[in-house]
Amino acid sequence: MNESNKKKTVAIVCGGGPAPGINAVIAAVTLRARNVGFDVIGIYDGFSHLAKREKKYIKLTQDEVSRISIMGGSILHMSRYNPTKSADDLKNVVETLTELGVNYLVTIGGDDTAFSAAAVSSYAKEHGGAINVVHVPKTIDDDLPLPEGVPTFGFETAREMGAREATNLVEDARTSRNRWYFAVAMGRTAGHLALGIGSAAGADVTVIPEEFGAQKISLQRVVDIITGSIMKSYFNGKDHGVAVIAEGVIEKIEQADLEKLGNVELDEHGHIRYSELDFGNILKKSVSRELKKYGKKITIVSKDIGYELRCSSPISYDIEYARSLGCEAVNFLAAGKSGAMISIQNESSEPMYFDDIKDPKTGKTKVRRVNTASLRYKVARDYMTRIEKSDLDNASLAETYDMTIDEFKKRFGYLFE
């Protein structure tokens, strides 16, 4: 058989953390690729084995994927291994894929995996390789640079599951009385998930990193926002509530304050390992101390929301959405194209090329953050109970803190500078 008649092979690599809908993408890629005459292999554990020249994979067939679309998790498992940290790793990835006879690579992941996919595509091209690459955007953080209003797959399921959990906390706080829950929602650099959960559940206040702009903030600023929400609720006759805080707020905290939180560990991509910092408990202790100054003693319970969302069975929206992305990823490759992230916009498949979604400052994939000028954020903010600039002239609210108007303005005015 001459080279042109050899059967083409598609490899699937899953990077980063899990998200609902991954298996639906795997199934769609497999079935569509086989329908157009390609073989399909699934690489286990992200790029970790490829970078070590290890060939750990499974040949994917219709029988292997026939009912996996409704399942959570990933049948190929996941890894955050970063092949771009080493030139040797990148070389090993491309050469191992080539030895496996791979012509096409489909990566499924977030911004870091997209960056790795772009690097693999570039390396293969520069060294005369023949591996066309397409990336399928996956993250419950919803922070990949898609157009506003276009979610990453997995986000809607995670928001739905997270909102159910937060709604139960709202009801528990109401039933127990004199109790607040601090729910720290997953979201490394963007507040999409926290805002979605807080808005849908009717949380009293949601704090996201985007509301602080580009500046670094003190831990006290976050404490004052939450304390203000609690005190204003008391002023309005409500002694219970729920605060949702995006874990990405940690990235905004000044280095001096961050060092007080404990030993900070970084992952393969240089990001803070939030799981090593009990941010909810830190806020709980800090807010409790602040409330004590004003004669308020309440029960505060901290709760992380995130890991239990990542492997949820996808809702129907994400199953259908993920299937569309997987199918269009194969169509993109079959057309001889390479080097893009696939997206669905206005019911059409739209490739977003790696060079176009690269941040010129960092060289990495751009991060989409919450647009605080959007209607979505404005409505969410209007529903929150938190100290606003207009409250600084409220003498009755100042009395709740046992302060004069001038003292109240001096204490909390900085929140609006």
Side-chain angles (χ1 to χ4, degrees):
M1 181 184 294
N2 65 40
E3 197 70 25
S4 62
N5 289 330
K6 282 185 179 179
K7 203 166 191 181
K8 304 291 187 181
T9 299
V10 178
I12 303 172
V13 170
C14 301
I22 291 175
N23 286 327
V25 176
I26 294 171
V29 169
T30 300
L31 296 175
R32 180 59 184 152
R34 291 181 66 83
N35 281 344
V36 297
F38 300 158
D39 282 333
V40 185
I41 63 173
I43 306 296
Y44 285 116
D45 305 310
F47 289 105
S48 62
H49 298 302
L50 294 173
K52 300 169 187 174
R53 301 301 293 264
E54 297 170 352
K55 298 170 183 174
K56 296 191 176 182
Y57 67 94
I58 181 175
K59 187 169 183 178
L60 294 172
T61 65
Q62 182 171 341
D63 287 344
E64 293 286 346
V65 303
S66 64
R67 294 298 297 163
I68 67 171
S69 294
I70 61 174
M71 294 165 48
S74 167
I75 64 168
L76 300 178
H77 314 301
M78 311 291 295
S79 170
R80 292 191 182 279
Y81 194 92
N82 181 4
T84 68
K85 290 178 70 175
S86 160
D88 286 340
D89 281 356
L90 201 53
K91 178 173 180 279
N92 287 341
V93 168
V94 173
E95 290 184 354
T96 306
L97 288 171
T98 301
E99 289 169 9
L100 288 169
V102 171
N103 314 97
Y104 307 115
L105 175 64
V106 177
T107 55
I108 305 170
D111 56 331
D112 292 323
T113 307
F115 179 70
S116 296
V120 169
S121 176
S122 178
Y123 186 94
K125 186 176 180 180
E126 288 172 7
H127 293 80
I131 302 176
N132 286 6
V133 179
V134 65
H135 181 70
V136 178
K138 170 267 336 163
T139 172
I140 67 171
D141 295 351
D142 203 29
D143 61 357
L144 279 165
L146 296 167
E148 194 163 348
V150 178
T152 53
F153 84 80
F155 171 74
E156 292 295 351
T157 298
R159 179 172 71 159
E160 174 70 18
M161 299 300 117
R164 289 183 190 179
E165 191 167 343
T167 299
N168 289 341
L169 296 182
V170 169
E171 185 58 31
D172 188 278
R174 187 189 71 81
T175 301
S176 302
R177 313 295 292 177
N178 203 42
R179 177 186 295 258
W180 272 71
Y181 282 98
F182 291 177
V184 179
M186 189 170 278
R188 191 176 69 222
T189 55
H192 299 284
L193 185 60
L195 188 67
I197 289 172
S199 296
D204 297 84
V205 60
T206 300
V207 185
I208 60 173
E210 290 88 344
E211 66 183 82
F212 306 112
Q215 66 179 333
K216 287 287 186 178
I217 60 170
S218 65
L219 176 62
Q220 186 62 43
R221 189 184 187 100
V222 182
V223 170
D224 284 343
I225 290 171
I226 298 172
T227 301
S229 177
I230 293 171
M231 294 296 284
K232 190 172 179 179
S233 291
Y234 267 109
F235 175 72
N236 292 332
K238 185 168 176 276
D239 66 354
H240 58 279
V242 170
V244 177
I245 306 99
E247 65 176 0
V249 170
I250 296 173
E251 295 273 7
K252 288 291 183 180
I253 295 175
E254 293 169 346
Q255 187 64 34
D257 281 1
L258 198 59
E259 289 170 356
K260 297 174 186 176
L261 303 184
N263 295 322
V264 177
E265 295 186 22
L266 304 179
D267 66 13
E268 279 281 330
H269 296 272
H271 306 302
I272 296 171
R273 289 189 183 277
Y274 293 140
S275 59
E276 304 301 319
L277 291 172
D278 193 346
F279 192 40
N281 193 48
I282 291 165
L283 290 175
K284 168 186 169 180
K285 290 179 179 178
S286 300
V287 171
S288 292
R289 282 195 297 268
E290 200 67 27
L291 289 171
K292 193 174 181 180
K293 296 177 185 178
Y294 311 119
K296 301 294 183 185
K297 184 178 181 181
I298 64 173
T299 298
I300 299 175
V301 180
S302 65
K303 177 81 171 68
D304 289 338
I305 299 179
Y307 285 103
E308 67 272 37
L309 310 180
R310 303 193 307 173
C311 285
S312 298
S313 296
I315 60 176
S316 56
Y317 174 90
D318 274 325
I319 293 174
E320 182 180 4
Y321 183 24
R323 281 176 175 163
S324 296
L325 288 169
C327 184
E328 290 305 315
V330 174
N331 289 340
F332 174 81
L333 294 173
K337 300 176 183 178
S338 180
M341 178 173 75
I342 206 72
S343 71
I344 307 294
Q345 302 176 31
N346 298 317
E347 292 302 312
S348 296
S349 175
E350 297 289 343
M352 301 175 69
Y353 287 88
F354 291 143
D355 287 343
D356 297 330
I357 61 174
K358 185 185 296 183
D359 187 326
K361 293 182 180 178
T362 65
K364 295 188 176 184
T365 308
K366 293 176 184 175
V367 174
R368 176 175 65 179
R369 293 179 169 83
V370 173
N371 177 7
T372 55
S374 66
L375 178 64
R376 175 193 174 209
Y377 182 74
K378 180 181 181 299
V379 172
R381 184 68 183 253
D382 286 345
Y383 265 80
M384 295 182 201
T385 300
R386 54 193 292 172
I387 292 181
E388 302 292 355
K389 192 171 184 179
S390 58
D391 290 320
L392 296 179
D393 294 315
N394 189 329
S396 297
L397 182 58
E399 287 177 9
T400 305
Y401 289 85
D402 196 23
M403 292 179 181
T404 65
I405 279 286
D406 289 341
E407 291 170 335
F408 189 53
K409 286 182 178 179
K410 185 176 181 180
R411 176 69 182 80
F412 293 104
Y414 83 99
L415 294 177
F416 311 99
E417 294 172 354

Coordinates of all heavy atoms in Angstrom, one line a residue, residues 181-187 191 193-195 198 203 205-209 212 222 226 242-250 279-280 283-284 302-305:
Y181 N -23.6 31.2 55.0 CA -22.7 30.2 54.3 C -21.8 31.0 53.3 O -22.3 31.9 52.6 CB -23.5 29.2 53.4 CG -24.1 28.1 54.2 CD1 -25.4 28.1 54.7 CD2 -23.3 27.0 54.6 CE1 -26.0 27.1 55.4 CE2 -23.8 26.0 55.4 CZ -25.2 26.0 55.8 OH -25.7 25.0 56.5
F182 N -20.5 30.7 53.3 CA -19.6 31.3 52.4 C -19.2 30.2 51.4 O -18.5 29.2 51.7 CB -18.3 31.8 53.1 CG -18.5 33.0 54.0 CD1 -17.4 33.5 54.7 CD2 -19.7 33.6 54.1 CE1 -17.6 34.6 55.5 CE2 -19.9 34.7 54.9 CZ -18.8 35.2 55.6
A183 N -19.7 30.3 50.2 CA -19.5 29.3 49.2 C -18.4 29.8 48.2 O -18.6 30.8 47.5 CB -20.8 29.0 48.4
V184 N -17.3 29.1 48.2 CA -16.2 29.5 47.3 C -16.3 28.6 46.1 O -16.1 27.4 46.1 CB -14.8 29.2 48.0 CG1 -13.7 29.6 47.0 CG2 -14.7 30.1 49.3
A185 N -16.6 29.3 44.9 CA -16.8 28.6 43.7 C -15.6 28.6 42.8 O -14.8 29.5 42.7 CB -18.0 29.3 42.9
M186 N -15.4 27.4 42.2 CA -14.3 27.2 41.3 C -14.3 28.3 40.2 O -15.3 28.7 39.7 CB -14.3 25.8 40.7 CG -13.1 25.4 40.0 SD -13.1 23.6 39.6 CE -12.6 22.9 41.2
G187 N -13.1 28.6 39.7 CA -12.9 29.6 38.7 C -11.6 30.3 38.9 O -11.5 31.3 39.7
G191 N -14.8 35.0 36.9 CA -15.9 34.8 37.9 C -17.2 34.3 37.2 O -18.3 34.4 37.9
L193 N -18.5 31.3 36.7 CA -19.2 30.2 37.4 C -19.8 30.7 38.7 O -20.9 30.5 39.0 CB -18.3 29.0 37.6 CG -19.0 27.8 38.3 CD1 -20.1 27.3 37.4 CD2 -17.9 26.7 38.5
A194 N -19.0 31.5 39.4 CA -19.5 32.1 40.7 C -20.7 33.0 40.4 O -21.7 32.9 41.2 CB -18.4 32.9 41.4
L195 N -20.6 33.8 39.4 CA -21.7 34.7 39.1 C -22.9 33.9 38.7 O -24.1 34.3 39.1 CB -21.3 35.7 38.0 CG -22.3 36.8 37.8 CD1 -22.4 37.8 38.9 CD2 -21.8 37.6 36.5
G198 N -24.3 32.2 41.9 CA -24.9 33.2 42.8 C -26.2 33.8 42.3 O -27.2 33.9 43.1
A203 N -28.2 34.2 45.8 CA -27.3 34.5 46.9 C -27.3 36.0 47.2 O -27.6 36.8 46.4 CB -25.9 34.1 46.5
V205 N -24.8 37.9 48.1 CA -23.7 38.7 47.5 C -22.8 37.7 46.8 O -22.6 36.6 47.3 CB -22.9 39.5 48.6 CG1 -22.4 38.5 49.7 CG2 -21.8 40.3 48.0
T206 N -22.3 38.1 45.6 CA -21.3 37.3 44.9 C -20.1 38.2 44.6 O -20.3 39.4 44.2 CB -21.9 36.8 43.6 OG1 -23.0 36.0 43.8 CG2 -20.9 36.0 42.8
V207 N -18.9 37.7 45.0 CA -17.7 38.5 44.8 C -16.9 37.8 43.7 O -16.6 36.7 43.8 CB -16.9 38.6 46.1 CG1 -15.7 39.6 45.9 CG2 -17.8 39.2 47.2
I208 N -16.6 38.6 42.6 CA -15.8 38.0 41.5 C -14.5 38.9 41.3 O -14.6 40.1 41.6 CB -16.6 37.9 40.2 CG1 -17.1 39.3 39.8 CG2 -17.8 36.9 40.4 CD1 -17.8 39.2 38.4
P209 N -13.5 38.4 40.7 CA -12.2 39.1 40.5 C -12.4 40.3 39.6 O -11.7 41.3 39.8 CB -11.2 38.1 40.0 CG -12.0 37.0 39.5 CD -13.3 36.9 40.3
F212 N -12.8 44.2 40.5 CA -11.7 45.0 41.0 C -10.8 45.5 39.9 O -9.8 46.1 40.1 CB -10.9 44.2 42.0 CG -11.7 43.6 43.1 CD1 -11.9 42.2 43.2 CD2 -12.3 44.4 44.0 CE1 -12.7 41.7 44.2 CE2 -13.1 43.9 45.0 CZ -13.3 42.5 45.1
V222 N -12.1 42.4 50.6 CA -13.0 41.4 50.4 C -13.8 41.1 51.7 O -15.0 41.0 51.7 CB -12.3 40.1 50.0 CG1 -13.3 38.9 49.7 CG2 -11.4 40.3 48.8
I226 N -18.0 41.6 52.2 CA -18.9 40.5 52.8 C -19.5 40.9 54.1 O -20.7 40.7 54.3 CB -18.1 39.2 52.9 CG1 -17.6 38.7 51.6 CG2 -19.0 38.1 53.6 CD1 -16.7 37.5 51.6
V242 N -26.3 33.8 52.2 CA -25.2 33.1 51.5 C -24.4 34.1 50.7 O -24.9 34.9 49.9 CB -25.8 32.0 50.5 CG1 -24.8 31.4 49.6 CG2 -26.5 30.9 51.3
A243 N -23.1 33.9 50.8 CA -22.2 34.7 50.0 C -21.4 33.7 49.1 O -21.0 32.7 49.5 CB -21.2 35.5 50.8
V244 N -21.4 34.0 47.8 CA -20.6 33.2 46.8 C -19.4 34.0 46.4 O -19.5 35.2 46.0 CB -21.4 32.9 45.6 CG1 -20.6 32.1 44.6 CG2 -22.7 32.1 46.0
I245 N -18.2 33.4 46.6 CA -17.0 34.0 46.3 C -16.2 33.2 45.2 O -16.0 32.0 45.4 CB -16.1 34.2 47.5 CG1 -16.8 34.9 48.6 CG2 -14.8 35.0 47.2 CD1 -17.4 34.0 49.7
A246 N -15.8 33.8 44.1 CA -15.0 33.2 43.1 C -13.6 32.9 43.7 O -13.0 33.8 44.2 CB -15.0 34.0 41.8
E247 N -13.1 31.7 43.5 CA -11.8 31.4 44.0 C -10.7 32.3 43.3 O -9.6 32.5 43.9 CB -11.4 29.9 43.9 CG -11.3 29.4 42.5 CD -10.9 28.0 42.4 OE1 -10.7 27.4 43.4 OE2 -10.8 27.5 41.2
G248 N -11.0 32.8 42.1 CA -10.0 33.6 41.4 C -9.8 34.9 42.1 O -8.8 35.6 41.8
V249 N -10.6 35.3 43.1 CA -10.4 36.5 43.9 C -9.0 36.4 44.6 O -8.3 37.4 44.8 CB -11.5 36.7 44.9 CG1 -11.1 37.8 45.9 CG2 -12.8 37.0 44.2
I250 N -8.6 35.2 44.9 CA -7.2 35.0 45.5 C -6.1 35.6 44.6 O -5.2 36.2 45.2 CB -6.9 33.5 45.7 CG1 -7.9 32.8 46.6 CG2 -5.5 33.2 46.2 CD1 -7.8 31.3 46.7
F279 N -9.5 29.0 51.4 CA -9.9 30.4 51.3 C -11.2 30.7 52.1 O -11.3 31.8 52.7 CB -10.0 30.8 49.9 CG -10.2 32.3 49.6 CD1 -9.4 33.2 50.3 CD2 -11.1 32.7 48.6 CE1 -9.6 34.6 50.0 CE2 -11.2 34.1 48.3 CZ -10.5 35.0 49.0
G280 N -12.1 29.8 52.0 CA -13.4 29.9 52.7 C -13.2 30.1 54.2 O -13.8 30.9 54.9
L283 N -11.7 33.5 55.1 CA -12.7 34.5 55.1 C -13.7 34.4 56.3 O -14.0 35.4 56.9 CB -13.5 34.5 53.8 CG -12.8 34.9 52.5 CD1 -13.7 34.6 51.3 CD2 -12.4 36.3 52.5
K284 N -14.0 33.2 56.6 CA -14.9 32.9 57.7 C -14.3 33.5 59.0 O -15.0 34.3 59.8 CB -15.1 31.4 57.9 CG -15.7 31.0 59.2 CD -15.8 29.5 59.3 CE -16.2 29.0 60.7 NZ -16.2 27.6 60.8
S302 N -18.2 27.6 55.9 CA -17.5 27.8 54.6 C -17.7 26.5 53.8 O -17.7 25.4 54.4 CB -16.1 28.1 54.7 OG -15.3 27.1 55.3
K303 N -17.9 26.6 52.5 CA -18.1 25.4 51.6 C -17.5 25.7 50.3 O -17.8 26.7 49.6 CB -19.7 25.2 51.5 CG -20.1 24.1 50.6 CD -20.0 22.7 51.3 CE -20.6 21.6 50.4 NZ -19.8 21.4 49.2
D304 N -16.7 24.7 49.8 CA -16.1 24.8 48.5 C -17.1 24.2 47.5 O -17.6 23.1 47.7 CB -14.8 24.1 48.4 CG -13.7 24.9 49.1 OD1 -13.9 26.1 49.3 OD2 -12.7 24.2 49.5
I305 N -17.3 24.9 46.4 CA -18.2 24.3 45.3 C -17.3 24.2 44.0 O -16.9 25.3 43.5 CB -19.4 25.2 45.1 CG1 -20.3 25.2 46.3 CG2 -20.2 24.6 43.9 CD1 -21.6 26.1 46.1

